[in-house]
Amino acid sequence: MNKITAAITAVGGYVPETKLTNFDLEKMVDTNDEWIRTRTGISERRILKEPGKATSDLGAPAILEVLRKRGISAAEIECIICATVTADMVFPATANIIADKIGATNAFGFDLNAACSGFLFALTTGAAYIESGRYKKVIVVGADKMSAITDYTDRNTCVLFGDASAAVLLEPNEEGLGIQDSLLKSDGSGAKFLHMKAGGSLKPASVESVLAREHYAYQEGQSVFKFAVKGMADVSAELLERNQLTGDDISWLVPHQANLRIVDATANRMGLSKDKVMINIERYGNTTAATIPLCLWEWESKLKKGDNLVLAAFGGGFTWGATLIKWAY
Ligand code: UT7
């Protein structure tokens, strides 16, 4: 029997309708469209505005689209892994809430927190379940309602983030297609540059923490930028090298969308021209765990069976990594 690989067999996505443009932000903080576009590549992002709606409300429709496309029922899903830093609640896991919302009554689920690298970490975890033969239908969803932890009085961060979700179905493949290799890394000494100060066990929520605006994403942009440029480019190059590939063998780079300049640096290092790089940061901003599957969702119709894709990310933790995929359909 051939070795079982884990292949993505369908992609779904969901973005809320409300747009927050650079011009809207100009009215909220001391910023301008030109600065945001040239420093980040972002023009607008989507915001989940409706009261009472949470990350699970982004994740559920993305998964329902996957099921519709693949023609399977929610009851057939065996596992849901939700990559997120904006869980509906500290507990239970958002994956469980999503499972309930879509009727995935036979699935177990859990959340995985690896910030902007969350989708790659979750994809690699889901793939291992499939490769071992233990499960045959695993959903990996990246979902983040970043607007819930964004301080709209802080121009350093509020221009960066947006809300979105996208999901993939992983199934066994016997043609050798799907996930080929993954290189994942983390370094907790980077935590000081990108984190949320309060709301965890280190500093539980209090009147003081709220007044000090400590329940929002905090980032030292320049420091993160330096690590991100190097980390994402290095790990992508290392992945190519250990698979004896060059940029010429790669059909698509699917990068985490934090900053267009980081994406360009990674593509240059891999020797890839811009037409081989999926970029939608201008319309969605940084949607944390959702950026990479959101690209797959938007580019799905352009992908061909056998295409080599490199997915690459860098984010809070620090966490970073790259995954090589041979597209399966
Ligand atoms: O996804 C997770 C990982 N995160 C990342 O990969 C993000 C990495 N970092 C970045 O993408 C960039 O550092 C930022 C986009 C966050 C910032 O860009 P930068 O080129 O590093 O700008 P900076 O922080 O060095 O700030 C340059 C100047 C400062 O003014 P002075 O001190 O030079 O007068 C800032 O105060 O730009 C100012 N500034 C702004 N001006 C207008 C910062 N934010 C804004 C703003 N509008 N929104």
Side-chain angles (χ1 to χ4, degrees):
M1 201 177 93
N2 290 339
K3 181 175 172 278
I4 297 170
T5 48
I8 293 174
T9 55
V11 187
Y14 179 77
V15 292
E17 267 174 38
T18 303
K19 289 179 184 172
L20 181 67
T21 67
N22 292 352
F23 300 103
D24 295 329
L25 286 161
E26 283 182 0
K27 295 178 203 133
M28 297 157 67
V29 288
D30 180 16
T31 190
N32 58 79
D33 173 60
E34 215 257 327
W35 190 97
I36 304 171
R37 274 190 297 101
T38 53
R39 297 285 181 132
T40 71
I42 304 167
S43 293
E44 61 186 38
R45 52 306 277 139
R46 301 298 182 97
I47 304 294
L48 182 61
K49 271 203 111 155
E50 291 82 357
K53 296 278 180 189
T55 294
S56 62
D57 297 295
L58 298 167
I63 298 174
L64 288 175
E65 184 185 339
V66 167
L67 301 181
R68 211 163 42 241
K69 280 183 174 167
R70 192 73 183 116
I72 62 170
S73 74
E76 291 175 68
I77 303 172
E78 295 168 294
C79 171
I80 297 176
I81 309 175
C82 179
T84 187
V85 292
T86 53
D88 286 20
M89 294 179 268
V90 173
F91 72 91
T94 304
N96 299 336
I97 298 169
I98 291 176
D100 183 49
K101 284 186 174 167
I102 65 172
T105 46
N106 296 311
F108 74 99
F110 57 93
D111 291 358
L112 188 151
N113 180 339
C116 296
S117 312
F119 183 76
L120 294 193
F121 282 43
L123 189 68
T124 307
T125 306
Y129 282 146
I130 299 280
E131 288 157 7
S132 71
R134 186 172 283 252
Y135 301 111
K136 293 190 167 49
K137 285 188 171 47
V138 174
I139 290 281
V140 178
V141 56
D144 269 303
K145 184 188 168 187
M146 291 305 292
S147 62
I149 59 163
T150 298
D151 183 351
Y152 289 99
T153 66
D154 173 17
R155 72 175 185 173
N156 291 303
T157 51
C158 75
V159 302
L160 304 173
F161 299 111
D163 302 340
S165 170
V168 300
L169 176 66
L170 288 174
E171 292 185 89
N173 185 285
E174 292 194 12
E175 295 176 85
L177 300 168
I179 286 114
Q180 307 290 304
D181 194 13
S182 252
L183 252 173
L184 305 179
K185 311 209 178 206
S186 32
D187 176 2
S189 70
K192 56 183 172 290
F193 301 117
L194 180 49
H195 58 257
M196 191 155 89
K197 293 190 186 302
S201 59
L202 178 66
K203 198 174 206 186
S206 64
V207 172
E208 288 73 27
S209 68
V210 171
L211 292 176
R213 310 188 75 79
E214 290 178 337
H215 294 270
Y216 296 117
Y218 167 86
Q219 175 171 253
E220 292 177 25
Q222 260 187 28
S223 306
V224 178
F225 187 89
K226 279 183 214 141
F227 283 103
V229 165
K230 187 171 177 347
M232 214 160 108
D234 280 357
V235 78
S236 303
E238 192 183 338
L239 184 76
L240 288 189
E241 206 179 336
R242 89 169 182 189
N243 286 277
Q244 284 109 43
L245 298 171
T246 69
D248 292 342
D249 302 305
I250 303 304
S251 305
W252 293 101
L253 169 64
V254 194
H256 170 53
Q257 318 270 312
N259 189 314
L260 197 48
R261 292 180 287 150
I262 301 172
V263 172
D264 287 346
T266 305
N268 286 340
R269 177 76 180 281
M270 294 170 72
L272 291 179
S273 55
K274 208 129 196 203
D275 56 329
K276 286 178 154 191
V277 185
M278 297 187 190
I279 297 170
N280 58 14
I281 189 171
E282 70 280 3
R283 283 174 291 123
Y284 303 123
N286 182 350
T287 58
T288 304
T291 58
I292 289 177
L294 202 62
C295 282
L296 294 176
W297 178 56
E298 289 205 316
W299 267 263
E300 190 188 18
S301 64
K302 292 199 175 71
L303 299 175
K304 293 190 294 291
K305 190 170 174 176
D307 277 356
N308 283 325
L309 276 59
V310 171
L311 284 47
F314 186 94
F318 291 135
T319 55
W320 67 108
T323 297
L324 177 67
I325 294 181
K326 220 175 241 310
W327 198 249
Y329 62 97

